[in-house]
């Protein structure tokens, strides 16, 4: 069977790219130890209101952890609970959020906080607010007719 010169080049390029990408994944998985999250925190979406820490949404001071505060949010039909919260400037905050009903987005505008909230799962993100001001929280996953009304606010104060 005769192959044209350009077919050989493309075949060599394709096989080389495949070997390169599989090698990269192999090194990442086995040598560097990267792996998908297998210990996701789950929650019964029907009992969110009775489950700690979601039974008391808001900002809570914590002791003996790598962060200073836990900021707990619960998303539900077209709203976040709490609707507004004040956070001290420079505090290391662990944002913990879940949803009761459908998939929602959780984006804090002006920061790199962007999570997807899925029923039955808990999403977490640790950050430090180093700039005072108001940060708008929006749902960036379409969740129904009132999606555009879904927002909350974090106010970072001195």
């Amino acid at each position: 069977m005769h192959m044209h010169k350009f077919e050989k080049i493309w075949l060599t390029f394709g096989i080389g790219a495949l070997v390169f990408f599989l090698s990269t994944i192999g090194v990442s998985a086995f040598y560097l130890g990267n792996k998908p999250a297998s210990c996701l925190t789950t929650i019964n979406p029907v009992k969110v209101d009775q489950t700690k820490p979601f039974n008391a949404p808001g900002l809570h001071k914590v002791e003996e952890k790598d962060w200073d505060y836990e900021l707990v949010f619960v998303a539900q039909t077209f709203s976040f609970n709490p609707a507004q919260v004040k956070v001290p400037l420079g505090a290391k905050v662990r944002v913990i959020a879940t949803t009761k009903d459908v998939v929602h987005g959780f984006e804090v505008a002006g920061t790199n906080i962007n999570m997807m909230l899925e029923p039955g799962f808990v999403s977490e993100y640790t950050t430090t607010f180093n700039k005072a001001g108001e940060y708008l929280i929006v749902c960036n996953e379409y969740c129904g007719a009132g999606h555009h009304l879904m927002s909350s606010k974090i106010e970072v104060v001195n």
Side-chain angles (χ1 to χ4, degrees), residues 20-36:
F20 173 75
F21 290 129
L22 289 177
S23 299
T24 302
I25 291 172
V27 167
S28 176
F30 299 111
Y31 180 71
L32 299 177
N34 295 330
K35 55 187 174 262

Side-chain angles (χ1 to χ4, degrees), residues 3-18:
M3 289 180 62
H4 192 271
K5 177 174 79 172
F6 291 131
E7 287 180 294
K8 290 179 183 177
I9 292 171
W10 276 109
L11 189 59
T12 303
F13 174 75
I15 292 171
L18 182 63

Side-chain angles (χ1 to χ4, degrees), residues 43-56 100:
I43 187 170
N44 183 343
V46 177
K47 297 182 178 181
V48 169
D49 292 329
Q50 295 114 24
T51 308
K52 286 188 176 187
F54 301 106
N55 59 342
K100 295 181 184 180

